[in-house]
């Protein structure tokens, strides 16, 4: 213990005696032998007083330090006690040195029953992370991050996610490892429920997408059937006429081959209206041919627009795409709808004509739906090419005379599954698919309202070079 007053100590003090400096006892034969003994004792007593006061001060200091230490210990104990995470501190060989209340609760044991035990004792045999893994990680001076441990507890195996790090002494030497873990049972259950809900949602979405596909396929088939109906009935009617002409011609030829005289032949020619048949045949045949060609074109369009050849990009004419979409959707569903199509031939874009055809069919379908049951119904489709800072572009605008799109809904109509149509009528996927197709073509799809009412949906694409 350091003593005060040493700085006055003369060189000749007794080196090992703490009081030697204070007493300054003269040695035999020194020059100070004559100092009065009373003064010496007063000095001794004063020195003893000082020493005592110093002892008391140090005692007070010690007690203050002790109180601070106890408070710090209490604070740490409170901290450990209030932790909901399980804390286990081990030495470098994996022996438990400290645990918190959450760990005592998890293991169903008091701290003294846990201290000193090897970490392996605390783990369930099924644990994904073993005590050996922990020690190996520690040996590599690595952290343990979010590893799954399974604790052996009285209630059975308990899975926890653990983080761990080395513990160092004040001199920076690694002395142990601190493991902090959180039970993941609840998290797991929540995650399981989330995964299940997600799976369910995905399935429902797939069903909806499938339903939308089936619905548009149904509409497509209805439209195409309607379109095919015209030329086929044309061909059918002409074929019937041809059959009748052929029957009359055969009857006439039969008389020719039978050697009928000129008067009989002239009579038969008049009765069988042979001249009329002969003059009608070329027109009837070309009508049949025309009908057959129309059927061939519709089938070709169907092939072209319904194929899903993603890789094949081609230059195509928007006029043909628009015409066929209008024919297949509007004409079959609203036969009396006045339609104007002003898309110039040769308005060319690059990409997948089938996909753009799908966009046009969706836009026309939406226009037709919007005008359902309204008095003034008109569908106007215009096409144009125009110069922009981004280069030459082509646009097709579909305008209807429906109620238009409410301003508040303008931003939402392109969202997947957004629909204002009754259940079973629309899935709300139409415009979101169109939007994606426009983007895939480096173009865009825009919605607006016409000042005189009705909606305008514009598809803008880069023009073919
Ligand atoms: N021409 C239009 N006039 C008025 N509202 C429209 C028009 N086109 C689209 N909308 C609005 O946008 C919504 C979304 O259209 P979208 O084509 O994405 O789905 P849908 O037509 O409702 O269903 P789906 O196309 O899947 O059968 C429609 O429900 C409608 O409210
Ligand atoms: Mg739609």
């Amino acid at each position: 213990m350091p003593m005060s007053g040493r700085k006055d100590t003369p060189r000749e003090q007794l080196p090992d005696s703490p009081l030697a400096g204070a007493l300054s006892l003269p040695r035999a034969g020194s020059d100070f032998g004559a100092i009065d003994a009373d003064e010496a004792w007063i000095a001794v007593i004063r020195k003893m007083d000082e020493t005592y006061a110093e002892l008391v001060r140090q005692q007070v200091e010690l007690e203050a330090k002790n109180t601070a230490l106890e408070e710090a210990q209490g604070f740490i104990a409170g901290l450990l006690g209030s932790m909901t995470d399980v804390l286990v501190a081990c030495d470098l060989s994996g022996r438990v040195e400290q645990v918190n209340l959450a760990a005592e609760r998890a293991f169903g044991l008091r701290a003294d029953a846990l201290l000193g035990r090897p970490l392996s004792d605390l783990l369930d045999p099924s644990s994904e992370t073993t005590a050996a893994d922990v020690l190996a990680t520690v040996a590599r001076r690595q952290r343990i991050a979010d590893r799954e441990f399974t604790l052996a507890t009285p209630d059975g195996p308990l899975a926890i996610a653990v983080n761990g790090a080395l513990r160092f002494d004040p001199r920076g030497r690694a002395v142990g490892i601190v493991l902090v873990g959180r039970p993941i049972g609840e998290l797991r259950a929540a995650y399981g429920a989330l995964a299940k809900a997600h799976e369910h949602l995905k399935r429902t979405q797939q069903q909806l997408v499938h339903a939308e596909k089936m619905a548009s396929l149904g509409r497509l088939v209805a439209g195409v059937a309607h379109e095919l109906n015209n030329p086929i009935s044309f061909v059918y009617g002409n074929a019937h006429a041809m059959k009748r002409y052929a029957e009359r011609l055969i009857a006439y030829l039969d008389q020719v081959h039978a050697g009928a005289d000129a008067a009989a032949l002239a009579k038969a020619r008049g009765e069988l209206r042979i001249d009329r048949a002969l003059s009608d045949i070329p027109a009837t045949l070309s009508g049949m041919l025309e009908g057959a060609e129309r059927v061939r074109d519709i089938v070709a369009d169907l092939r072209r627009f319904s194929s899903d050849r993603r890789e094949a990009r081609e230059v195509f004419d928007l006029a043909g795409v628009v015409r066929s979409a209008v024919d297949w959707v509007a004409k079959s569903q609203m036969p009396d709808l006045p339609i104007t199509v002003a898309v110039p031939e040769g308005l060319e874009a690059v990409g997948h004509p089938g996909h753009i055809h799908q966009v046009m069919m969706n836009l026309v379908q939406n226009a037709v739906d919007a005008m359902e049951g309204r008095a003034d119904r008109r569908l106007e489709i215009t096409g144009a090419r125009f110069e922009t800072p981004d280069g030459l572009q082509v646009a097709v605008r579909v305008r209807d005379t429906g109620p238009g799109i409410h301003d508040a809904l303008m931003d939402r109509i392109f969202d997947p599954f957004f629909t204002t149509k009754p259940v079973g009528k629309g899935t709300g996927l139409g415009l979101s698919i169109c939007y994606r197709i426009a983007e895939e073509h480096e173009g865009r799809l825009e919605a607006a309202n016409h000042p005189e009412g009705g909606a305008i949906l514009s598809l803008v694409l880069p023009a073919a070079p």
Side-chain angles (χ1 to χ4, degrees), residues 221-402:
V221 168
V224 170
H226 177 268
E227 268 304 280
L228 284 173
N229 206 32
N230 268 346
I232 286 174
S233 40
F234 198 50
V235 170
Y236 191 73
N238 283 7
H240 262 288
M242 278 304 294
K243 185 169 173 255
R244 283 194 310 275
Y245 295 154
E247 280 164 2
R248 273 148 55 190
L249 279 171
I250 288 165
Y252 180 71
L253 283 176
D254 280 349
Q255 293 199 26
V256 172
H257 292 145
D261 58 23
L265 283 180
K267 189 172 169 252
R269 193 176 177 119
E271 279 171 3
L272 292 167
R273 286 175 288 141
I274 295 299
D275 295 324
R276 172 81 192 277
L278 286 177
S279 73
D280 275 0
I281 281 174
T284 312
L285 275 176
S286 64
M288 278 172 78
L289 213 59
E290 202 180 297
E293 276 165 2
R294 180 81 197 107
V295 170
R296 184 200 59 196
D297 290 349
I298 292 170
V299 171
D301 276 358
L302 190 61
R303 280 231 180 94
R304 190 150 167 249
F305 297 146
S306 61
S307 77
D308 199 24
R309 291 167 302 149
R310 290 204 158 266
E311 69 291 348
R313 283 169 71 86
E314 54 183 279
V315 172
F316 61 94
D317 193 346
L318 283 165
V321 172
V322 171
R323 202 182 312 116
S324 138
V326 170
D327 286 349
W328 294 2
V329 178
K331 286 192 178 158
S332 61
Q333 291 178 44
M334 244 179 217
D336 57 342
L337 174 69
I339 303 172
T340 24
V341 178
V343 180
E345 297 288 332
L347 193 67
E348 286 178 334
V350 191
H352 308 286
H355 293 181
I356 298 302
H357 187 260
Q358 198 185 344
V359 174
M360 287 331 296
M361 288 216 312
N362 272 315
L363 298 186
V364 174
Q365 182 66 54
N366 282 349
V368 166
D369 289 347
M371 292 186 288
E372 182 87 61
R374 289 175 79 87
D376 174 31
R377 301 189 295 199
R378 263 176 305 126
L379 178 64
E380 288 170 14
I381 305 181
T382 52
R385 185 186 282 107
F386 53 92
E387 191 73 62
T388 73
D390 297 333
L392 207 55
Q393 297 192 326
V394 287
V396 176
R397 300 191 335 152
V398 179
R399 190 214 154 177
D400 59 58
T401 52

Side-chain angles (χ1 to χ4, degrees), residues 23-60:
L23 290 170
S24 302
L25 288 178
R27 289 189 178 177
S30 83
D31 298 340
F32 302 104
I35 291 173
D36 181 41
D38 282 353
E39 272 181 36
W41 278 113
I42 287 168
V44 167
I45 288 164
R46 198 178 295 135
K47 209 66 211 173
M48 280 180 75
D49 273 352
E50 280 173 17
T51 307
Y52 180 71
E54 175 65 10
L55 276 172
V56 170
R57 195 187 59 76
Q58 285 181 0
Q59 176 71 19
V60 169

Side-chain angles (χ1 to χ4, degrees), residues 212 219 366-367 370 400 404-405 413 418-421 425-432 455 457:
E212 165 70 12
R219 287 198 295 258
N366 282 349
D400 59 58
I405 302 159
I413 57 169
F418 174 79
T419 181
T420 55
K421 294 174 189 170
K425 177 90 172 119
T427 58
L429 279 175
L431 285 182
S432 75
L457 271 289

